[in-house]
Amino acid sequence: MASRKGLAPSKIVVPGNKGVKISRAVTIRKPADALYAFWRDLENLSLVIKHPVTIRNLSDIESHWSVSAPPGDRRVEWDALIINDEKDKLIAWRSREDSEINNAGSVRFEPAPGGDATEVTVTLEYQPPGGKLGALLAKLSGEEAGQQVGDALRRLKALMEVGEIPTTDGQPVGEPQRKKNQ
Amino acid sequence: MKAVCWMGKKKMEVQRVNDPKILNPRDCIVRITSTAICGSDLHLYDGYIPTMEKGDILGHEFMGEVVEIGPQVKKLKVGDRVVVPFTISCGGCFHCSRQQWSCCDNTNPNARLAEVLYGHSGAALYGYSHMMGGYAGGQAQYARVPFADVGPIKIESNIDDDKVLFLSDIFPTGFMAAENCNIEPGRSVVAVWGCGPVGQFAIRSAFLLGAAKVIAIDSVPERLRMAEEAGAYVLNDDDGDIQERLNLLTGGRGPDACIDGVGMEAHGSVYDSVKQKLKLENDHPYALRQAMRAVRTGGTLSVPGVYSGFIDKVPFGAAFGKGVTIRQGQTHTQRYLRPLLDLIENGKIDPSFVITHRVPLSKAPEAYETFCNKEDGCIKVVLDPNA
Ligand SMILES: NC(=O)c1ccc[n+]([C@@H]2O[C@H](COP(=O)([O-])OP(=O)(O)OC[C@H]3O[C@@H](n4cnc5c(N)ncnc54)[C@H](O)[C@@H]3O)[C@@H](O)[C@H]2O)c1
Ligand SMILES: [Zn+2]
Ligand SMILES: [Zn+2]
């Protein structure tokens, strides 16, 4: 775990109300330490984020993110820095300055009433950049991004509670869907 | 393999599709030996369940032989004979740990769709719309069964398919409907709306749980006759005021518990038919309204009949004013598999009584029509996937 001293300085990346802010929560029947440990190794998150994403740990507090974005399958990339880290409780991060998409986020792990589960709350903020891409990303409304985060949390829950993520991808289906899928 | 596909309202088609594969480590593949059409499938057939897509494979009442298992399947083995419950449950979430199997958190890949309509999502179901998971169903020759060690019950004896097939849904559904009635043995009077397969099992389960009297309501003569054979007192809906007749049969008290075994397509009111057609109301709560008014003060309303959306003119004041307890939902099927299999194996009940039609899978579209229109005395259709 990063020592507090080793953390990157916290900084407001998404000023004022210019950005999109999303919060989502899920309750997972696992202790906070297991969930924290999973999340702290950021590369694990690519297992639960449905949208194709590559995450590479560069150091204990730095990671490189790459996602495909419209138009075409162009890639948007940025480096993220962990700016706050409380073992089994909280992880917060932000993108390095001058990233194509400025973004910041945090995840909190709190015991749920009853003592056998953990409430996981994620907050994400991002600032769509200017230009053509910005316009496109703005279209990807907060609601849609919120659903993506919601999906990821649900998938995280399934993976942690039962070891697999529910899917129907690849199951048999009749026409006309069959053609569409191929 | 061959599979029954939904191709739009009142349009079913048997298609050749790919065989299912193991997709997750805890899956198994079942070669289906018997499969049935459920009253719930009629809601799909009639186009009342949202998020269906052409080409979806239907069916949620099936059994067969395990032919392949995923690497994390521990209990089931290839060659095991199993009945598969229609609710897909993970076994590891809060709800599964409390036997609330149909509320499972972790099996619906499209939970997001269900959340839009319901606020939260329950368990996925086989062959029952994308909102409910989008899983291919079991009116087919093979099916992929997720969480193979959680759902399916192994049948060790060589008892006939016909006797155990309905553990997949309608027997547990009728049983849970009766259990939800809080029956006091020797005292409770239970009224059951709908003498379809669910109603039939609810009637028999109410007796098994000790009901003093069961009153069954429908308007289809052969279905009423089947209810009568179980010992129920029957009322034909076409013969006049139900409330009045129920009062006369209960010394003016009203039934202690009422079961709505009809659901969202009840016939009876022009108001609802028009609204349903205009899409102003998706469900048709005629039986529910009657049951709410008929139930005695402090009684119980148990609703196994399926509702999927909004309903109008529900006499909630009647339910409130009488302090009625309402219990409902998709069946927690897994909870009932073992105890009901025991009842079957001990000869306490033979569920095959309800079967009126046996049809090759390839004739499923015609069978849907017959069942839907209640032609030819049709009460329950079993499909043979190998014919
Ligand atoms: N809760 C669950 O998990 C679950 C499981 C299986 C089925 N179901 C639901 O249970 C219901 C019944 O299923 P089924 O297989 O018996 O279907 P079914 O369509 O064969 O039976 C419905 C019966 O209700 C009768 N009916 C219609 N309107 C009526 C009215 N106003 N008063 C009295 N009777 C009326 C019909 O004549 C018919 O006999 C359906 O809604 C089905 O979706 C729920
Ligand atoms: Zn059913
Ligand atoms: Zn579960």
Side-chain angles (χ1 to χ4, degrees):
Chain A
M1 192 200 112
S3 70
R4 284 200 151 265
K5 246 182 28 211
L7 295 176
S10 167
K11 205 158 184 230
I12 295 168
V13 268
V14 185
N17 48 13
K18 283 192 188 150
V20 180
K21 188 170 176 178
I22 296 150
S23 297
R24 286 285 185 285
V26 71
T27 299
I28 304 181
R29 275 183 99 213
K30 281 282 168 195
D33 55 355
L35 300 173
Y36 168 89
F38 180 87
W39 199 293
R40 187 62 182 77
D41 183 358
L42 295 171
E43 290 182 4
N44 281 337
L45 295 180
S46 60
L47 296 172
V48 297
I49 298 172
K50 206 169 176 190
H51 191 84
V53 56
T54 325
I55 305 163
R56 205 155 30 86
N57 291 333
L58 301 175
S59 75
D60 192 41
I61 62 158
E62 292 163 295
S63 53
H64 182 76
W65 292 64
S66 160
V67 299
S68 65
D73 256 350
R74 77 175 289 268
R75 301 204 70 82
V76 179
E77 316 210 6
W78 69 89
D79 285 346
L81 303 167
I82 289 182
I83 52 174
N84 199 352
D85 184 4
E86 289 177 47
K87 189 167 163 24
D88 303 342
K89 292 206 171 90
L90 171 99
I91 305 167
W93 61 90
R94 67 168 174 79
S95 58
R96 219 185 262 290
E97 283 131 82
D98 65 40
S99 295
E100 197 170 359
I101 303 177
N102 287 328
N103 65 87
S106 67
V107 56
R108 265 184 296 125
F109 305 96
E110 291 163 304
D116 59 356
T118 305
E119 293 174 1
V120 181
T121 310
V122 169
T123 301
L124 266 189
E125 251 179 293
Y126 63 88
Q127 186 181 28
K132 236 184 175 170
L133 177 70
L136 267 164
L137 279 168
K139 264 200 205 150
L140 183 83
S141 65
E143 197 181 326
E144 230 176 280
Q147 286 175 343
Q148 303 259 356
V149 175
D151 281 347
L153 288 182
R154 251 185 250 106
R155 289 158 61 87
L156 171 70
K157 174 181 167 69
L159 186 64
M160 299 308 289
E161 289 186 343
V162 290
E164 62 182 48
I165 296 168
T167 185
T168 55
D169 292 346
Q171 72 176 3
V173 65
E175 302 295 3
Q177 282 180 68
R178 192 174 167 189
K179 251 187 225 111
K180 243 187 344 194
N181 292 356
Q182 276 160 3
Chain B
M1 67 167 182
K2 281 187 288 188
V4 179
C5 297
W6 186 89
M7 297 302 283
K9 190 173 166 181
K10 305 258 183 201
K11 256 174 89 180
M12 301 301 188
E13 206 175 279
V14 177
Q15 293 193 20
R16 284 225 159 258
V17 300
N18 293 335
D19 288 349
K21 297 182 301 229
I22 301 275
L23 299 177
N24 260 339
R26 301 176 64 183
D27 293 352
C28 77
I29 305 291
V30 170
R31 182 181 63 80
I32 298 170
T33 53
S34 293
T35 178
I37 306 179
C38 178
S40 296
D41 293 326
L42 294 180
H43 304 321
L44 304 171
Y45 185 68
D46 291 335
Y48 288 119
I49 304 286
T51 71
M52 287 298 293
E53 285 177 31
K54 286 181 184 159
D56 287 349
I57 299 173
L58 299 184
H60 58 264
E61 300 183 351
F62 59 98
M63 63 178 294
E65 184 195 333
V66 176
V67 290
E68 200 184 333
I69 54 170
Q72 290 299 322
V73 174
K74 305 265 153 63
K75 288 194 255 166
L76 281 191
K77 286 189 229 24
V78 169
D80 283 349
R81 186 167 169 240
V82 291
V83 180
V84 180
F86 77 102
T87 35
I88 307 176
S89 313
C90 77
C93 72
F94 169 83
H95 303 287
C96 287
S97 77
R98 293 172 178 234
Q99 303 262 314
Q100 295 170 342
W101 304 96
S102 75
C103 301
C104 176
D105 279 336
N106 289 325
T107 53
N108 186 352
N110 305 326
R112 180 205 277 201
L113 294 177
E115 284 174 3
V116 172
L117 211 57
Y118 296 163
H120 301 279
S121 172
L125 313 175
Y126 292 99
Y128 216 72
S129 84
H130 289 263
M131 181 176 101
M132 305 304 270
Y135 287 88
Q139 285 163 11
Q141 293 180 302
Y142 293 87
R144 165 192 167 231
V145 173
F147 298 106
D149 283 336
V150 179
I153 183 166
K154 193 169 153 182
I155 308 295
E156 313 267 2
S157 66
N158 51 11
I159 191 165
D160 279 353
D161 276 20
D162 286 355
K163 292 193 175 169
V164 290
L165 173 60
F166 303 132
L167 287 172
S168 58
D169 178 352
I170 50 173
F171 186 13
T173 296
F175 194 87
M176 182 165 118
E179 200 180 64
N180 278 344
C181 288
N182 281 322
I183 290 169
E184 272 186 59
R187 175 180 290 272
S188 296
V189 179
V190 179
V192 180
W193 273 255
C195 297
V198 166
Q200 298 295 340
F201 281 104
I203 292 163
R204 283 157 182 81
S205 301
F207 280 125
L208 284 169
L209 293 168
K213 189 192 269 184
V214 178
I215 306 165
I217 304 152
D218 204 307
S219 56
V220 181
E222 63 273 14
R223 294 183 176 217
L224 287 170
R225 223 161 22 242
M226 191 181 262
E228 214 162 20
E229 280 160 20
Y233 197 100
V234 301
L235 296 178
N236 190 323
D237 195 28
D238 294 338
D239 292 347
D241 192 81
I242 288 291
Q243 168 109 30
E244 205 175 287
R245 284 183 287 163
L246 284 173
N247 279 342
L248 289 175
L249 288 170
T250 55
R253 303 185 305 278
D256 299 287
C258 289
I259 295 178
D260 172 359
V262 179
M264 59 193 268
E265 289 187 66
H267 26 78
S269 122
V270 178
Y271 171 82
D272 293 302
S273 309
V274 171
K275 289 204 98 174
Q276 214 169 26
K277 286 218 175 75
L278 294 176
K279 303 257 185 248
L280 293 171
E281 180 185 44
N282 6 19
D283 300 352
H284 215 174
Y286 193 68
L288 183 72
R289 287 191 198 120
Q290 281 190 337
M292 249 183 196
R293 289 193 61 234
V295 68
R296 76 153 159 80
T297 315
T300 303
L301 175 60
S302 161
V303 188
V306 164
Y307 290 85
S308 80
F310 299 89
I311 51 179
D312 279 359
K313 302 236 182 312
V314 174
F316 208 74
F320 180 85
K322 292 187 288 181
V324 171
T325 301
I326 303 177
R327 309 190 68 181
Q328 59 190 331
Q330 298 285 358
T331 307
H332 303 305
T333 325
Q334 286 84 339
R335 196 196 281 176
Y336 301 97
L337 295 173
R338 174 57 51 192
L340 296 188
L341 177 61
D342 288 347
L343 287 181
I344 296 167
E345 287 186 330
N346 296 336
K348 295 275 190 298
I349 184 167
D350 175 359
S352 65
F353 74 87
V354 78
I355 303 172
T356 53
H357 287 63
R358 284 164 208 286
V359 176
L361 187 79
S362 52
K363 291 269 183 292
E366 292 86 340
Y368 266 90
E369 198 180 338
T370 308
F371 177 45
C372 182
N373 298 336
K374 303 183 178 65
E375 291 159 355
D376 192 29
C378 186
I379 298 176
K380 188 75 183 177
V381 182
V382 174
L383 302 168
D384 180 352
N386 300 310

mmCIF file of all heavy atoms in Angstrom, chain B residues 1 90 166 170 186 200 222 286 303 339 342:
data_model
loop_
_atom_site.group_PDB
_atom_site.id
_atom_site.type_symbol
_atom_site.label_atom_id
_atom_site.label_comp_id
_atom_site.label_asym_id
_atom_site.label_seq_id
_atom_site.Cartn_x
_atom_site.Cartn_y
_atom_site.Cartn_z
ATOM 1 N N MET B 1 -29.586 -27.650 -32.802
ATOM 2 C CA MET B 1 -30.744 -28.241 -32.128
ATOM 3 C C MET B 1 -32.019 -27.508 -32.543
ATOM 4 O O MET B 1 -31.966 -26.432 -33.130
ATOM 5 C CB MET B 1 -30.574 -28.118 -30.602
ATOM 6 C CG MET B 1 -30.619 -26.673 -30.111
ATOM 7 S SD MET B 1 -30.810 -26.564 -28.308
ATOM 8 C CE MET B 1 -30.883 -24.786 -28.075
ATOM 9 N N CYS B 90 -28.156 -17.637 -7.698
ATOM 10 C CA CYS B 90 -26.702 -17.786 -7.570
ATOM 11 C C CYS B 90 -26.288 -18.595 -6.358
ATOM 12 O O CYS B 90 -25.213 -19.164 -6.317
ATOM 13 C CB CYS B 90 -26.042 -16.408 -7.537
ATOM 14 S SG CYS B 90 -26.192 -15.557 -5.944
ATOM 15 N N PHE B 166 -43.055 -30.989 -13.171
ATOM 16 C CA PHE B 166 -43.667 -29.736 -12.713
ATOM 17 C C PHE B 166 -43.066 -29.190 -11.427
ATOM 18 O O PHE B 166 -43.492 -28.150 -10.927
ATOM 19 C CB PHE B 166 -45.186 -29.891 -12.612
ATOM 20 C CG PHE B 166 -45.793 -30.308 -13.921
ATOM 21 C CD1 PHE B 166 -46.699 -31.357 -14.001
ATOM 22 C CD2 PHE B 166 -45.418 -29.670 -15.101
ATOM 23 C CE1 PHE B 166 -47.221 -31.749 -15.218
ATOM 24 C CE2 PHE B 166 -45.942 -30.052 -16.326
ATOM 25 C CZ PHE B 166 -46.850 -31.102 -16.394
ATOM 26 N N ILE B 170 -44.809 -25.037 -11.783
ATOM 27 C CA ILE B 170 -46.200 -24.879 -11.343
ATOM 28 C C ILE B 170 -46.555 -25.571 -10.027
ATOM 29 O O ILE B 170 -47.410 -25.074 -9.302
ATOM 30 C CB ILE B 170 -47.196 -25.302 -12.444
ATOM 31 C CG1 ILE B 170 -46.841 -26.681 -12.995
ATOM 32 C CG2 ILE B 170 -47.253 -24.241 -13.534
ATOM 33 C CD1 ILE B 170 -47.877 -27.230 -13.964
ATOM 34 N N GLY B 186 -57.759 -27.273 9.333
ATOM 35 C CA GLY B 186 -59.081 -27.582 9.846
ATOM 36 C C GLY B 186 -59.999 -26.380 9.972
ATOM 37 O O GLY B 186 -61.171 -26.527 10.330
ATOM 38 N N GLN B 200 -54.749 -25.301 -10.091
ATOM 39 C CA GLN B 200 -54.926 -26.716 -9.732
ATOM 40 C C GLN B 200 -53.955 -27.124 -8.625
ATOM 41 O O GLN B 200 -54.337 -27.802 -7.671
ATOM 42 C CB GLN B 200 -54.723 -27.623 -10.955
ATOM 43 C CG GLN B 200 -55.716 -27.400 -12.098
ATOM 44 C CD GLN B 200 -57.155 -27.754 -11.735
ATOM 45 O OE1 GLN B 200 -57.422 -28.506 -10.786
ATOM 46 N NE2 GLN B 200 -58.095 -27.185 -12.480
ATOM 47 N N GLU B 222 -64.075 -27.787 -18.109
ATOM 48 C CA GLU B 222 -63.189 -28.924 -17.800
ATOM 49 C C GLU B 222 -62.184 -28.564 -16.701
ATOM 50 O O GLU B 222 -61.728 -29.412 -15.950
ATOM 51 C CB GLU B 222 -62.492 -29.456 -19.053
ATOM 52 C CG GLU B 222 -61.555 -28.505 -19.764
ATOM 53 C CD GLU B 222 -62.275 -27.613 -20.789
ATOM 54 O OE1 GLU B 222 -63.531 -27.545 -20.747
ATOM 55 O OE2 GLU B 222 -61.585 -26.978 -21.614
ATOM 56 N N TYR B 286 -58.665 -7.998 -13.111
ATOM 57 C CA TYR B 286 -60.062 -8.250 -12.747
ATOM 58 C C TYR B 286 -60.176 -9.230 -11.576
ATOM 59 O O TYR B 286 -60.916 -8.978 -10.613
ATOM 60 C CB TYR B 286 -60.812 -8.781 -13.968
ATOM 61 C CG TYR B 286 -62.294 -8.788 -13.792
ATOM 62 C CD1 TYR B 286 -63.004 -7.597 -13.703
ATOM 63 C CD2 TYR B 286 -62.994 -9.984 -13.698
ATOM 64 C CE1 TYR B 286 -64.382 -7.602 -13.530
ATOM 65 C CE2 TYR B 286 -64.362 -9.994 -13.526
ATOM 66 C CZ TYR B 286 -65.051 -8.806 -13.446
ATOM 67 O OH TYR B 286 -66.411 -8.825 -13.271
ATOM 68 N N VAL B 303 -50.846 -13.815 -4.247
ATOM 69 C CA VAL B 303 -50.875 -13.546 -5.690
ATOM 70 C C VAL B 303 -49.739 -14.258 -6.431
ATOM 71 O O VAL B 303 -48.658 -13.709 -6.590
ATOM 72 C CB VAL B 303 -50.794 -12.022 -5.983
ATOM 73 C CG1 VAL B 303 -51.026 -11.746 -7.470
ATOM 74 C CG2 VAL B 303 -51.780 -11.247 -5.139
ATOM 75 N N PRO B 339 -38.767 -30.818 -0.542
ATOM 76 C CA PRO B 339 -39.999 -31.262 0.146
ATOM 77 C C PRO B 339 -41.088 -31.737 -0.816
ATOM 78 O O PRO B 339 -41.788 -32.709 -0.506
ATOM 79 C CB PRO B 339 -40.462 -30.023 0.928
ATOM 80 C CG PRO B 339 -39.561 -28.908 0.548
ATOM 81 C CD PRO B 339 -38.360 -29.466 -0.113
ATOM 82 N N ASP B 342 -40.290 -35.164 -2.177
ATOM 83 C CA ASP B 342 -40.627 -36.167 -1.162
ATOM 84 C C ASP B 342 -42.115 -36.504 -1.201
ATOM 85 O O ASP B 342 -42.493 -37.667 -1.140
ATOM 86 C CB ASP B 342 -40.235 -35.680 0.241
ATOM 87 C CG ASP B 342 -38.718 -35.694 0.441
ATOM 88 O OD1 ASP B 342 -38.018 -36.310 -0.410
ATOM 89 O OD2 ASP B 342 -38.230 -35.096 1.417
#
